[in-house]
Amino acid sequence: MSMTETQWLALAFFVAGVVGFQRGWERALITSAIIAMTTLFLLIGGDIWLAQWLTDWQMIRVLPTVQEVHAVAAPLYGVAFVLAHMAGSRWGKAPKTHGHRWTGVIPGAVTGGAFLAYLNERAAPALISHSFASFFPVLFAIGVILHVFFLFMTARSHS
């Protein structure tokens, strides 16, 4: 029995949320912010700029294919993903209470969503159908709103 596309996405969000739960809200928040900004940068054309800068492609004379751009940008995204987790561990505090762990679920899921968005847009466009991928901005918006809400509630409980 094979899983549907929606089940795979739900599993990915669940796994990313569990990672956020384990890391706690501070570490997951730092990681989520770095990954979301990196993903946004690459999706709005930063991958082309990086590919041009790193390989000295002249975009006017020779336009590289999507695969060539991705071959340069994907390893950099992988490095950014690892460095974001390291920065979160270094700069964020370990969770002190169970509530700190639970509030890490949302930024963890947002990180997973950003990773899936990059995979869908650049690395494996056939992974997710176009109709489902059109919901990614909505998922990000919901994630960010929930993220801000949890941060607000956590800040209020500390004061």
Side-chain angles (χ1 to χ4, degrees):
M1 178 177 219
S2 64
M3 292 176 58
T4 66
E5 181 178 271
T6 306
Q7 290 169 331
W8 277 111
L9 288 171
L11 178 65
F13 284 129
F14 175 76
V15 169
V18 168
V19 170
F21 176 83
Q22 292 296 321
R23 300 189 75 205
W25 75 272
E26 284 188 31
R27 291 177 175 176
L29 173 66
I30 293 167
T31 302
S32 178
I34 294 169
I35 293 298
M37 293 307 291
T38 302
T39 303
L40 180 63
F41 170 74
L42 292 175
L43 291 180
I44 62 172
D47 55 350
I48 295 171
W49 178 80
L50 281 172
Q52 183 180 9
W53 181 66
L54 290 172
T55 61
D56 199 29
W57 275 321
Q58 298 300 320
M59 297 302 281
I60 306 275
R61 286 186 257 154
V62 178
L63 185 63
T65 66
V66 173
Q67 292 84 7
E68 290 172 326
V69 169
H70 174 67
V72 173
L76 294 175
Y77 187 72
V79 168
F81 199 79
V82 171
L83 290 176
H85 279 83
M86 290 172 60
S89 296
R90 174 89 175 152
W91 298 331
K93 296 177 186 168
K96 295 179 180 134
T97 66
H98 204 60
H100 289 180
R101 289 191 182 277
W102 277 109
T103 53
V105 171
I106 298 299
V110 170
T111 302
F115 184 71
L116 286 175
Y118 180 76
L119 278 180
N120 181 61
E121 188 67 28
R122 298 290 194 261
L127 180 68
I128 301 168
S129 72
H130 180 69
S131 62
F132 198 85
S134 64
F135 290 110
F136 273 135
V138 174
L139 292 174
F140 274 125
I142 291 169
V144 168
I145 290 168
L146 288 174
H147 194 96
V148 169
F149 173 75
F150 280 124
L151 289 177
F152 176 74
M153 295 307 287
T154 303
R156 286 185 56 103
S157 69
H158 279 54
S159 54

